[in-house]
Amino acid sequence: MSQDNQKPVRVGLLGIGTVGGGTFTVLKRNQEEIRRRAGRGISIDMVADLNVDRAKELVGDAAEVVSDARQVIANPNIDVVVELIGGYGIAKTLVLEAIAAGKHVVTANKALLAVHGTEIFAAAREKGVMVAFEAAVAGGIPIIKSLREGLTANQIQWVAGIINGTTNFILSEMRDKGLDFDVVLKEAQRLGYAEADPTFDIEGVDAAHKATLLSAIAYGIPVQFDKAYVEGITKLSAVDIKYAEQLGYRIKLLGIARRQEVNGKVLGIELRTHPTLVPQRRLIANVEGAMNAVMVQGDAVGTTMYYGKGAGSEPTASAVVADLVDIARLTDAPAASYVPPLAFQHDSMSTLPILPIEEVVTSFYVRLRVADQTGVLAKITGILAEQGISIDAVIQREADEVSGEGGNQTDLILLTHDTKEGSMNKAIAAMQALPTVLAPIVRLRKEELA
Ligand code: HSE
């Protein structure tokens, strides 16, 4: 039965920048459609923003604008607080205060939840309120809902995603236009994709925050950003992008969560973000520019992929409003009927460990700049064999073909089969010590995603 005669859900926005502005616009433009879906209206009654004049210009008379977020939290008429401030600082205090005041919370703050999610979800459970965060991962793509609800029948084998638009834009432009990293980064900032501090994007931290949230929802483990392996794209060189292409691969910054299973026994969860070679023929390898895509493999459903805009005003607002609709539908229901924030009931969380990176199993791309002498390749393959690493493919390129350095140097590029990262580390240390290896060895991880 429709609850259409119910009073609207009253919302207070903390922050009306890019995403807040989009949320206001989308709710206004689609209010009738949204009311029909939610069974009641959703009304932004208050907005807190330090820039009161700009906020007033945006919302006009539709909402009360204040500079102090605590006024929103203290207002007994506000049912839901939407936190769009970002960061781990004041945003954390305000979210916890909003929960303590009995408000439901919607947030796009991946950093906050990846680091302090356990505390925040526990506080919300205690208070009987919802914390919804669809906008925190992959912007407009409903990946949280897909994993938490649509794929709930499955054992999730792995999740792998392009979940940072800035770095995907940079990698795409570097490859397509041969542009330098710095030039492309500036363009990404101009287009509004990058975080306030772009090191979070380019060093992989933003993607790792999101991967942490995905791992928790996929496996019912607590959020553990501190155990995530994080490697960004700043050390990636054009020559490796080119060699990868020649071998049939593209390099993408992937956030990966994978259940590691050996002989039917689950050993733990891999949680890692790093540049990754992906076969060119996979759809995800062709996700270009600032677009995001997440692949999920479940034992029942097989491989699925979700694609869309991972950032920007209205795409992210689309996720915020979807959370508001969920809350509007459930706000009079008993807390026991809420979908658990991390997909699993809080008393059924898994204690599977996040595996250290040395325990991760993957295949590798390895590039060695070597002296062009007889026996070099034999020595290298010998070292790999000692570590039990088997080679899938080898190519050799004259160094001057790519670097103009010429001389008696050559680049050896090896692709390996799956091996433990710890074994690869030992092999790399041994190969690096060879006098015929002339430069630091480059090692990138490779995923077939089949
Ligand atoms: N800086 C992020 C990105 C914004 O580039 O994807 C969305 O989280």
Side-chain angles (χ1 to χ4, degrees):
M1 202 171 72
S2 165
Q3 301 169 319
D4 211 4
N5 53 356
Q6 294 198 7
K7 68 179 177 56
V9 169
R10 305 207 173 276
V11 178
L13 283 190
L14 309 186
I16 189 154
T18 310
V19 179
T23 302
F24 183 79
T25 308
V26 171
L27 270 176
K28 192 169 163 198
R29 187 172 70 233
N30 298 342
Q31 57 181 313
E32 186 47 30
E33 202 92 349
I34 290 166
R35 190 190 56 73
R36 284 172 53 219
R37 289 186 173 123
R40 63 207 307 176
I42 295 174
S43 157
I44 296 183
D45 281 12
M46 277 188 99
V47 172
D49 199 291
L50 291 176
N51 193 338
V52 171
D53 290 342
R54 194 200 50 184
K56 278 192 173 152
E57 214 170 284
L58 258 162
V59 303
D61 295 332
E64 183 187 349
V65 177
V66 294
S67 60
D68 179 6
R70 290 199 164 93
Q71 275 184 260
V72 176
I73 294 169
N75 184 337
N77 295 322
I78 295 293
D79 305 303
V80 188
V81 167
V82 178
E83 183 274 309
L84 300 170
I85 297 167
Y88 319 100
I90 185 68
K92 181 186 175 199
T93 310
L94 293 172
V95 162
L96 288 171
E97 285 181 9
I99 291 168
K103 319 283 187 204
H104 302 292
V105 170
V106 173
T107 178
N109 193 335
K110 56 259 168 160
L112 175 63
L113 293 181
V115 176
H116 299 294
T118 301
E119 181 183 351
I120 289 168
F121 297 135
R125 194 174 58 251
E126 191 102 328
K127 206 66 197 176
V129 296
M130 286 172 262
V131 173
F133 53 97
E134 184 63 70
V137 182
I141 304 175
I143 188 61
I144 303 286
K145 205 170 189 67
S146 300
L147 262 175
R148 191 162 56 188
E149 298 174 50
L151 297 175
T152 200
N154 289 264
Q155 288 190 41
I156 304 297
Q157 282 143 339
W158 51 262
V159 181
I162 296 173
I163 42 182
N164 180 269
T166 302
T167 42
N168 202 51
F169 177 79
I170 291 173
L171 291 175
S172 301
E173 293 283 290
M174 282 175 74
R175 187 177 60 81
D176 282 356
K177 302 186 180 153
L179 290 172
D180 283 336
F181 178 85
D182 296 343
V183 175
V184 188
L185 172 61
K186 284 212 175 71
E187 181 64 359
Q189 286 175 294
R190 193 185 66 74
L191 290 167
Y193 305 142
E195 296 297 299
D197 176 357
T199 48
F200 267 33
D201 294 297
I202 60 181
E203 297 295 357
V205 177
D206 178 71
H209 285 146
K210 295 166 182 167
T212 299
L213 293 174
L214 292 177
S215 71
I217 292 172
Y219 300 108
I221 54 173
V223 287
Q224 296 165 78
F225 175 70
D226 56 333
K227 304 224 173 74
Y229 176 79
V230 190
E231 185 180 314
I233 63 165
T234 50
K235 296 195 181 80
L236 205 58
S237 84
V239 77
D240 293 305
I241 294 176
K242 181 175 160 164
Y243 286 152
E245 290 279 325
Q246 291 175 7
L247 288 157
Y249 291 86
R250 295 245 163 101
I251 301 180
K252 295 289 183 189
L253 183 73
L254 292 188
I256 298 171
R258 178 173 165 260
R259 201 173 58 147
Q260 200 186 97
E261 199 174 323
V262 177
N263 301 328
K265 189 173 172 339
V266 181
L267 302 181
I269 305 298
E270 299 178 0
L271 173 56
R272 46 196 171 98
T273 296
H274 48 71
T276 313
L277 273 75
V278 180
Q280 274 162 8
R281 62 184 183 281
R282 298 266 177 270
L283 275 178
I284 200 164
N286 295 285
V287 171
E288 301 287 14
M291 299 304 282
N292 281 202
V294 184
M295 294 179 77
V296 182
Q297 191 177 76
D299 65 337
V301 74
T303 307
T304 59
M305 186 170 125
Y306 310 82
Y307 169 83
K309 287 186 177 153
S313 176
E314 292 204 7
T316 313
S318 167
V320 170
V321 174
D323 280 346
L324 289 172
V325 170
D326 276 353
I327 290 173
R329 285 171 174 152
L330 282 169
T331 189
D332 293 329
S337 60
Y338 299 166
V339 179
L342 297 181
F344 291 73
Q345 300 297 335
H346 79 274
D347 53 1
S348 301
M349 295 295 279
S350 163
T351 53
L352 277 176
I354 304 276
L355 297 169
I357 188 68
E358 293 74 20
E359 296 295 318
V360 161
V361 174
T362 185
S363 54
F364 287 90
Y365 161 106
V366 183
R367 174 168 63 85
L368 305 103
R369 176 69 52 92
V370 296
D372 198 1
Q373 289 171 14
T374 320
V376 174
L377 182 59
K379 280 225 169 64
I380 286 164
T381 53
I383 289 172
L384 289 167
E386 268 168 36
Q387 292 303 327
I389 300 171
S390 109
I391 297 171
D392 183 30
V394 184
I395 60 170
Q396 181 170 335
R397 290 284 181 275
E398 294 310 314
D400 58 355
E401 278 180 36
V402 285
S403 67
E405 283 167 22
N408 299 323
Q409 300 184 7
T410 193
D411 276 344
L412 278 180
I413 302 104
L414 313 173
L415 297 182
T416 74
H417 288 295
D418 277 354
T419 183
K420 263 199 184 159
E421 174 120 359
S423 308
M424 180 49 79
N425 289 345
K426 284 184 196 147
I428 286 181
M431 294 187 292
Q432 194 69 72
L434 294 173
T436 43
V437 172
L438 305 174
I441 296 171
V442 173
R443 166 258 307 273
L444 295 165
R445 298 164 194 89
K446 175 168 88 60
E447 294 288 342
E448 292 298 322
L449 301 178

